[in-house]
Amino acid sequence: MAESSWLERPGLDKAAGEEFLREAFQVLLDEAVRKGTDVTEKVGETRRPPARWWGGTERGSLPDRGRIPFPPSPQVCDWKEPQELRELLDLELRSSGELPERLLERCRDVIRYSVKTCHPRFFNQLFSGLDHHALAGRLITETLNTSQYTYEIAPVFVLMEEVVLAKLRELVGWSSGDGIFCPGGSISNMYAMNVARFHHFPESRQKGSWALPRLALFTSRESHYSIQKGAAFLGIGTDNVHLVGTDERGKMIPEELEKEIQRVKAEGAKPFFVCATCGTTVLGAFDPLDGIADICQRHGLWFHVDAAWGGSALLSSKHRHLLTGIERADSVAWNPHKMLTVGLQCSAFLLRDTSGLLQRCHGAGATYLFQPDKFYDVTYDTGDKTLQCGRRVDCLKLWLLWKAAGTEGLARRVERAFAYTRYLAKEVKRRDGFQLVLEVAPAIKERMMRKGSMMVGYQPHGARVNFFRQIVTNPTVTKDDLDFFLDEIERLGQDL
Amino acid sequence: MAESSWLERPGLDKAAGEEFLREAFQVLLDEAVRKGTDVTEKVGETRRPPARWWGGTERGSLPDRGRIPFPPSPQVCDWKEPQELRELLDLELRSSGELPERLLERCRDVIRYSVKTCHPRFFNQLFSGLDHHALAGRLITETLNTSQYTYEIAPVFVLMEEVVLAKLRELVGWSSGDGIFCPGGSISNMYAMNVARFHHFPESRQKGSWALPRLALFTSRESHYSIQKGAAFLGIGTDNVHLVGTDERGKMIPEELEKEIQRVKAEGAKPFFVCATCGTTVLGAFDPLDGIADICQRHGLWFHVDAAWGGSALLSSKHRHLLTGIERADSVAWNPHKMLTVGLQCSAFLLRDTSGLLQRCHGAGATYLFQPDKFYDVTYDTGDKTLQCGRRVDCLKLWLLWKAAGTEGLARRVERAFAYTRYLAKEVKRRDGFQLVLEVAPAIKERMMRKGSMMVGYQPHGARVNFFRQIVTNPTVTKDDLDFFLDEIERLGQDL
C-alpha cells in the first residue's frame, strides 16, 4: 500500500474492534468469572490421569488406592507441564495477524489453562477471590488508560486517590498526612526506607551513601523479604539489615530490638529505621507496635509498619486492637489487594508527615510534565511524589468496591476471614492425623496440583518441616469449602 | 446477624455481581470505547462557557472574538476545576453500601469526567489511542488476577512472558539473554543501574555503597528524569550523575562523553554505567549508539539503552537504523505501552546476559514462595528476578495485540507514526504564524483544556520558550486530525 493512502484512513477498524471486545468480554464472563468461581463446575476434558500421577509407569497400571480420588474435574487449575502447555498454547509471534475467531479461541485457552485465583478453593496466596464491583473498577481503569501523574490527565483519579488515601489514614488514626499508591507492597516498603533515609540525611539524595555514616535498619526475622531486597537496591546492603528475634508466635520481641540497637550503635553504625510487621507472611503474626514505638521514640528512629497483609484488620472494630500503636508509626504500607479482594495491585504507602517530605525526597520537577506555569493549582499534580513516571490508576477499584460495600461491608469481610480461621483451627484440632500431614506437604501439594481440585501454599518455618498455610479471605468461601479443604488433604495424603 | 449464620453462606451475591459487571461493561463500551474514540461525538451537556473562559467577569459579557470557537462540545476532556469536580463526583466513602443503579451512575461519571486518552485528538502523552485487542488482553488479565511469580500460579503467563521477551530481544538483535516486565520505564532504568552496579561490585548487595568507591554514571542532558530519581533512590546520589552535552537535535555527543569520563576518573570516582537514550522525551532524539558503545567498551562500562519511547522503531525495517548499535548494549528498557498502544503498563527490561545476573542481583529465595522442593522445574519460577513480590501480568495484552496484528501490522503502525510526523512538519513550515505560537503555548493550552477539543503537551526546552510537543502514534489518527490540530491552534491563539 502506498504511504499516501494510509494517511487518509485510520490504522485500525473500530467497528470490528468493538465487536471483538464484546465477544472477548463474553468469553471472560463465561469462562473466568462464572465457571472460575463455581465449585460445581467441571472444566477441562474428562480424562484418565497420567500414569505418573500415581507413580505408575504404564498405561492402565492404576493401583487401587481406596478413597484416593480419580481426577476428572480440575477446577482451580488444569495442570500441564511447561513443555506440554507450550505446545497447547502456540505462543509464537509471527509476521501475519490472525482472524478474530482464532483470537477468541486463544482467549479461551489462556483462561482455561490459567489458575482460577477467584475460585473458593484457591487458598494459595494472600490474594484470592473476585469482587465484581472491584473488577468493574479495574475494567474501567484499563479502558480509560491514563497515568496518575497530573490533574490535567487524570482529574477524577487525582481527587479519588486523595480521598481513598485519606480514608485509609483515618483508619490508621491520622487526621492528616500524605501518601501514594505504589506497584506493590515491596516497593511501598522501599519508599519507607528511602523517605526515612532522606529525613535523617537529606544530603543522601545528592551525594549518595558515601556522605553518610554506615546505616542500620531493623526488622523481625519473620518480616517480608522485600526489606532485604530494598536494602540491597537502595545501596544500604543486606548486612545492614538486622533481624530481630521473635517469640513462638512470630512476633518481634521489643527487648531484643533494644539490645540489637545498642549493639549496632556500639559497633559504630547509625540506626535510622525500624520496620514492624502486622500480619507476617507465613504465620500471620502482629508485632507489638506500642513497645516498638517506644523504642523508636527513645532512639529517634523512623518507625515503619509493614501492614501489607494485616492492615485491613483496621476496618473491624473487633480486630483492630491487633494493630494498637499503628497511629504512632511514621509510615505504613497497606495492600487492600490482599484481604479486601480488590485485585492486583493496590498498595498504599501512607505517611504521617505533613511537611511535603515525600515530594522533596522523590520530586524531580520535570518541566515537560510538571510545568509550573499551568493554569490550575499544580499541587494537584501529585505524580512527582513517586519513583515512577507513568503510574497506573490503582484507586478506582478500591473506591468502587467501598462505595458498593460500605465500610460496614468491608468490616464484615474481615470478620468473616477471622471467623473462618477460628473454625479451621478448631477442626484441625478435632481431626486425628493432621500432625502427620505436616511431614508430607510437598507430596500432597503435587497431587493437589495435578488433580486441580484446590490450591494451598506450603513452606518450611525455621526448624519446622513444610506445612500448609491456609488463607480464607475470599468472600465466597463458606464452611463447606473449608471442610472440603480438610477432607481433600486427608484424601490426598491417605497413603503417605 | 449472628456469626454462625455467616459461616454457612458466601459473603457476596455472585448473580447480582455478574449482572453488575455486565452492565458496567456496557457503560464502558458505550461511554469510553465508542464515544471516547469518536471525533464526531458531542459529550457533556450543551452549555454556555463560563465567563472566565473568555476573561470576562459577568454573565453574558462574552465579547466578539471573531473565529474563536464557542465551546459546546468537549470531546477529549470536560474540564472542571478541582473543587467543582469534587462536588460533582461525591467521592466520600461512607459506612453503608449503595445500590447498583447508583454505582452504575458513578461509573458513567468517572468516565465522563476522565480524559479520553484514546481519542484521536489526544496528543498529550507518549501513550495514546486504544487498541481493542490489547484492551481485551487487559480485561482478561484483570479478571484472572494472578501474580507473575511462579509457574504454579501463572503457568500461561510465565511461558508467555518468556516468548514475548525473547521476541523483543530478537528485535534488539540478541538470540539469547534475559529480561522481565517492570512497572514502568523509570523502574526498568533503575533495574539497569542496579544490575550494572552488582555486575561491577557484587559485594554492593551485602555491604551497600560504603564498600565501593564513589560511583559515577553518565547520561545525556536530554535523558529522562528517572535516571536522576534512580541515582537518588539507589544511594548513588544525583551529584554522581554526569549529564553529557548534546547537539542541536538533542543527541548525545560521544566526544563529550569521553571527555566527561576522563574528567570524572581524574577526580577519583569510578565510572560504571552509561545510559544512552533512543527517543528523548521532549525532542524525540536518538543518541548515536555505536559511538557510545565504543566508548563503553574501551572503558569497561555497562551500556544501557533507554529505548522506552523509541524502541518500537525496531519493528520497522525502514526506521530501525535509528537504533543501529543497540545490539551492543548490555541492557535495554523498552515500553510497548507507548508507541504500540498496548496500555499502561508494559515496560520490558531486557538483558544480553545469559549467566543469571538478574536473578543473582535481585533474588532472595523466599521459601514460602520459591520452594526448592517443588515437583516441577523451578527455573520457571521467574518472580525472584524482580524487586517486587506480587507482580502484575503485563505480557498478555502485548501478546494478543501481536497475534492480532502480526509483526507486519505493528511495523505499519510505527511507519504511520513516522509518516504523520513528516506530514505535520511539512504543514507547520507551510503555515504562516506558527513561529509566533511558540511564545503563547500556556495560554493556548488553557483554552484548549477548557474547551476540551484536544490535548497536547507543552514544555520549555533549554533557552527556548514553551512549545507544543505533538505525538502521533495513536492508530486511529488520520490526516484530518492533524489538520484539525493545526487549525485549532490557530483558532485558539488567534487573538494572542
Side-chain angles (χ1 to χ4, degrees):
Chain A
M1 201 181 340
E3 183 181 297
S4 60
S5 74
W6 301 0
L7 297 180
E8 312 294 335
R9 303 187 321 179
L12 55 77
D13 179 341
K14 282 204 306 181
E18 272 181 40
E19 183 56 26
F20 181 81
L21 201 55
R22 195 185 291 278
E23 289 177 15
F25 177 75
Q26 197 56 48
V27 168
L28 81 80
L29 195 65
D30 292 343
E31 306 296 323
V33 175
R34 190 168 312 128
K35 293 187 190 166
T37 57
D38 189 351
V39 288
T40 65
E41 183 66 35
K42 313 292 182 215
V43 294
E45 77 274 52
T46 306
R47 51 172 195 172
R48 279 191 75 89
R52 68 178 182 284
W53 203 88
W54 302 101
T57 50
E58 290 169 61
R59 288 176 75 88
S61 67
L62 198 66
D64 180 8
R65 295 268 181 168
R67 283 175 59 214
I68 295 175
F70 189 82
S73 55
Q75 295 183 321
V76 176
C77 61
D78 188 356
W79 175 262
K80 304 288 173 199
E81 294 290 337
Q83 190 46 41
E84 190 184 358
L85 184 56
R86 216 178 257 122
E87 284 158 19
L88 283 165
L89 291 174
D90 174 32
L91 292 164
E92 204 191 329
L93 298 167
R94 302 192 181 82
S95 280
S96 302
E98 294 180 353
L99 293 175
E101 299 71 40
R102 184 78 192 89
L103 295 169
L104 286 169
E105 213 35 70
R106 293 188 176 284
C107 292
R108 276 191 205 93
D109 285 346
V110 163
I111 295 170
R112 173 176 173 173
Y113 296 111
S114 287
V115 171
K116 305 303 178 296
T117 67
C118 52
H119 195 281
R121 290 173 189 170
F122 175 84
F123 306 110
N124 208 69
Q125 250 68 29
L126 297 180
F127 64 90
S128 73
L130 180 153
D131 179 276
H132 301 84
H133 295 101
L135 181 56
R138 280 138 68 195
L139 303 190
I140 294 170
T141 300
E142 290 296 329
T143 307
L144 291 174
N145 193 44
T146 195
S147 172
Q148 182 102 42
Y149 32 48
T150 63
Y151 183 78
E152 172 181 298
I153 183 136
V156 172
F157 303 123
V158 163
L159 299 182
M160 191 180 279
E161 186 174 62
E162 180 183 80
V163 169
V164 173
L165 291 172
K167 194 74 187 174
L168 297 177
R169 279 195 307 264
E170 183 189 314
L171 287 163
V172 166
W174 299 334
S175 59
S176 62
D178 203 350
I180 200 100
F181 280 102
C182 291
S186 294
I187 292 181
S188 292
N189 284 337
M190 294 178 204
Y191 271 42
M193 293 161 67
N194 193 44
V195 170
R197 175 171 64 181
F198 178 75
H199 170 69
H200 283 285
F201 302 99
E203 66 273 30
S204 69
R205 183 181 155 138
Q206 274 178 264
K207 298 189 183 301
S209 297
W210 297 281
L212 316 184
R214 189 157 60 79
L215 300 179
L217 63 94
F218 304 83
T219 189
S220 90
R221 63 178 176 221
E222 295 289 325
S223 66
H224 192 254
Y225 68 92
S226 54
I227 304 297
Q228 304 272 353
K229 284 205 178 194
F233 198 70
L234 270 70
I236 292 168
T238 55
D239 282 354
N240 298 312
V241 177
H242 300 276
L243 297 180
V244 179
T246 50
D247 66 17
E248 74 291 349
R249 296 295 299 275
K251 300 175 185 212
M252 188 192 282
I253 302 169
E255 297 70 27
E256 297 281 320
L257 172 64
E258 176 67 40
K259 264 192 262 175
E260 195 63 13
I261 292 171
Q262 301 286 3
R263 193 184 64 72
V264 165
K265 276 188 169 175
E267 286 174 11
K270 171 73 186 164
F272 79 111
F273 180 85
V274 174
C275 172
T277 313
C278 285
T280 60
T281 314
V282 176
L283 298 179
F286 287 75
D287 285 346
L289 302 184
D290 260 329
I292 297 169
D294 290 342
I295 296 171
C296 289
Q297 208 172 321
R298 202 154 55 239
H299 292 278
L301 309 182
W302 186 276
F303 179 31
H304 173 65
V305 177
D306 175 1
W309 173 223
S312 298
L314 289 167
L315 283 153
S316 159
S317 54
K318 210 164 156 185
H319 300 293
R320 61 168 292 134
H321 68 88
L322 289 166
L323 298 104
T324 298
I326 195 168
E327 70 285 357
R328 299 173 63 189
D330 294 297
S331 57
V332 170
W334 175 356
N335 288 9
H337 73 236
K338 295 191 163 84
M339 212 181 288
L340 299 183
T341 326
V342 178
L344 285 162
Q345 291 181 344
C346 187
S347 174
F349 174 59
L350 306 171
L351 282 156
R352 189 153 50 105
D353 172 78
T354 54
S355 77
L357 188 62
L358 189 58
Q359 170 76 35
R360 277 180 285 125
C361 177
H362 289 152
T367 51
Y368 77 93
L369 199 52
F370 304 108
Q371 303 92 331
D373 56 358
K374 275 180 178 159
F375 66 98
Y376 60 88
D377 177 357
V378 294
T379 59
Y380 288 99
D381 289 357
T382 50
D384 212 17
K385 291 181 184 179
T386 83
L387 264 194
Q388 301 182 275
C389 176
R391 184 166 63 98
R392 289 175 49 83
V393 171
D394 288 333
C395 56
L396 174 59
K397 51 196 173 188
L398 176 55
W399 181 84
L400 196 59
L401 163 61
W402 208 313
K403 281 285 192 190
T407 313
E408 288 165 359
L410 297 181
R412 190 165 313 155
R413 289 201 186 175
V414 171
E415 286 164 14
R416 277 177 72 91
F418 276 91
Y420 281 131
T421 306
R422 278 194 303 276
Y423 172 76
L424 200 63
K426 204 177 68 187
E427 281 295 296
V428 167
K429 273 185 205 145
R430 205 179 57 73
R431 296 191 184 205
D432 294 338
F434 263 80
Q435 285 304 312
L436 197 72
V437 164
L438 299 184
E439 288 161 29
V440 294
I444 293 178
K445 173 79 181 194
E446 174 171 0
R447 290 179 174 189
M448 168 194 314
M449 291 297 294
R450 292 196 187 282
K451 187 177 172 193
S453 58
M454 67 178 188
M455 277 178 75
V456 59
Y458 75 94
Q459 59 281 304
H461 183 262
R464 290 174 234 182
V465 293
N466 278 313
F467 63 95
F468 289 109
R469 178 190 67 170
Q470 170 61 308
I471 298 141
V472 290
T473 52
N474 180 344
T476 60
V477 166
T478 67
K479 229 163 78 173
D480 288 348
D481 297 304
L482 300 182
D483 292 337
F484 176 87
F485 164 72
L486 295 171
D487 294 343
E488 185 77 348
I489 285 198
E490 285 190 333
R491 278 192 294 269
L492 293 168
Q494 197 189 256
D495 63 320
L496 291 170
Chain B
M1 202 181 342
E3 183 181 297
S4 61
S5 75
W6 300 0
L7 297 180
E8 313 293 336
R9 304 186 319 180
L12 56 76
D13 180 342
K14 283 205 305 182
E18 272 181 41
E19 184 53 29
F20 181 80
L21 200 55
R22 195 186 293 280
E23 289 176 16
F25 177 75
Q26 197 57 49
V27 168
L28 82 79
L29 196 66
D30 292 343
E31 305 297 323
V33 176
R34 190 168 313 127
K35 292 187 191 165
T37 58
D38 189 351
V39 289
T40 65
E41 183 65 36
K42 313 291 182 218
V43 296
E45 77 275 53
T46 306
R47 50 176 195 170
R48 280 192 75 89
R52 68 178 180 286
W53 204 90
W54 302 103
T57 50
E58 287 169 63
R59 288 176 75 89
S61 69
L62 198 67
D64 179 8
R65 294 270 182 167
R67 282 175 59 213
I68 295 176
F70 190 81
S73 55
Q75 295 184 320
V76 176
C77 62
D78 188 357
W79 175 261
K80 304 285 173 203
E81 295 290 336
Q83 191 47 40
E84 189 183 0
L85 184 55
R86 216 179 258 122
E87 284 157 22
L88 284 165
L89 291 174
D90 174 32
L91 292 164
E92 203 191 331
L93 299 167
R94 302 191 180 83
S95 279
S96 304
E98 294 180 353
L99 294 174
E101 299 70 41
R102 183 78 191 88
L103 296 168
L104 286 170
E105 212 36 68
R106 293 189 177 284
C107 292
R108 274 189 208 97
D109 284 347
V110 162
I111 294 170
R112 172 175 175 174
Y113 296 111
S114 287
V115 171
K116 306 302 177 295
T117 66
C118 54
H119 194 280
R121 289 172 190 170
F122 174 84
F123 307 109
N124 207 68
Q125 250 67 29
L126 296 180
F127 64 90
S128 74
L130 180 153
D131 179 276
H132 301 82
H133 296 100
L135 180 56
R138 280 141 65 195
L139 303 189
I140 294 170
T141 300
E142 290 296 328
T143 308
L144 291 173
N145 192 44
T146 196
S147 171
Q148 181 103 41
Y149 30 50
T150 63
Y151 183 77
E152 175 180 296
I153 183 133
V156 171
F157 303 124
V158 164
L159 300 182
M160 191 179 278
E161 185 175 64
E162 180 183 79
V163 168
V164 173
L165 291 172
K167 194 74 187 176
L168 297 177
R169 281 197 305 265
E170 184 189 315
L171 287 164
V172 166
W174 299 335
S175 59
S176 62
D178 203 348
I180 200 98
F181 279 102
C182 291
S186 294
I187 292 181
S188 292
N189 284 338
M190 293 178 205
Y191 272 42
M193 292 161 67
N194 193 43
V195 169
R197 175 170 64 179
F198 179 75
H199 170 68
H200 283 284
F201 301 98
E203 66 273 29
S204 69
R205 184 180 152 137
Q206 276 178 263
K207 298 188 185 299
S209 297
W210 298 280
L212 316 184
R214 190 157 60 80
L215 301 179
L217 63 93
F218 305 83
T219 189
S220 89
R221 64 179 176 219
E222 295 288 325
S223 66
H224 191 254
Y225 68 91
S226 55
I227 303 297
Q228 304 273 355
K229 285 205 178 194
F233 198 70
L234 271 70
I236 293 169
T238 54
D239 282 355
N240 297 311
V241 177
H242 300 277
L243 297 180
V244 179
T246 50
D247 66 18
E248 74 290 347
R249 297 295 299 275
K251 301 174 183 213
M252 188 193 281
I253 302 168
E255 297 69 28
E256 297 281 320
L257 172 63
E258 176 66 40
K259 264 192 259 175
E260 195 64 12
I261 292 171
Q262 301 286 3
R263 193 184 63 74
V264 166
K265 276 187 170 176
E267 287 174 11
K270 171 72 186 166
F272 79 110
F273 179 86
V274 174
C275 172
T277 312
C278 285
T280 59
T281 313
V282 176
L283 298 178
F286 287 74
D287 284 347
L289 303 184
D290 261 328
I292 297 169
D294 290 341
I295 295 170
C296 290
Q297 206 171 325
R298 200 154 57 238
H299 291 279
L301 308 182
W302 186 277
F303 178 32
H304 174 66
V305 177
D306 175 1
W309 173 224
S312 298
L314 289 168
L315 282 152
S316 159
S317 54
K318 209 163 156 185
H319 301 293
R320 60 170 290 134
H321 68 89
L322 289 166
L323 298 104
T324 298
I326 195 170
E327 70 286 355
R328 297 173 66 189
D330 293 297
S331 58
V332 170
W334 176 356
N335 289 8
H337 74 235
K338 295 191 163 86
M339 212 182 291
L340 298 182
T341 326
V342 177
L344 284 163
Q345 295 180 341
C346 187
S347 173
F349 174 58
L350 306 171
L351 283 155
R352 189 151 51 103
D353 172 77
T354 55
S355 77
L357 186 63
L358 190 57
Q359 170 74 36
R360 279 180 284 125
C361 177
H362 289 152
T367 52
Y368 77 91
L369 199 54
F370 304 108
Q371 303 93 333
D373 57 358
K374 274 181 180 158
F375 66 99
Y376 61 86
D377 178 357
V378 294
T379 58
Y380 287 99
D381 289 356
T382 49
D384 212 16
K385 290 180 183 179
T386 82
L387 264 195
Q388 300 181 276
C389 176
R391 184 166 64 97
R392 288 176 50 83
V393 171
D394 288 332
C395 56
L396 174 59
K397 50 196 172 187
L398 176 56
W399 181 83
L400 196 60
L401 163 62
W402 208 312
K403 281 286 195 190
T407 314
E408 286 166 359
L410 297 180
R412 189 163 316 153
R413 289 200 187 174
V414 171
E415 286 163 14
R416 276 177 72 89
F418 277 91
Y420 281 131
T421 307
R422 277 195 304 275
Y423 172 76
L424 201 62
K426 206 177 68 187
E427 281 295 297
V428 167
K429 272 185 206 145
R430 203 179 58 73
R431 296 191 184 206
D432 294 337
F434 264 79
Q435 286 305 313
L436 197 71
V437 164
L438 300 183
E439 289 161 30
V440 294
I444 292 177
K445 173 79 180 194
E446 173 172 0
R447 291 178 172 189
M448 165 192 318
M449 291 297 294
R450 292 196 187 279
K451 185 176 173 193
S453 59
M454 67 177 187
M455 277 178 74
V456 59
Y458 74 95
Q459 59 281 303
H461 183 263
R464 290 175 234 182
V465 292
N466 279 312
F467 62 96
F468 289 109
R469 177 189 69 168
Q470 169 63 307
I471 297 142
V472 289
T473 54
N474 178 345
T476 60
V477 166
T478 67
K479 230 163 78 174
D480 287 348
D481 298 304
L482 300 182
D483 292 338
F484 176 87
F485 163 74
L486 296 172
D487 293 343
E488 185 76 348
I489 285 197
E490 287 189 333
R491 278 192 293 268
L492 294 167
Q494 197 188 255
D495 62 321
L496 292 169

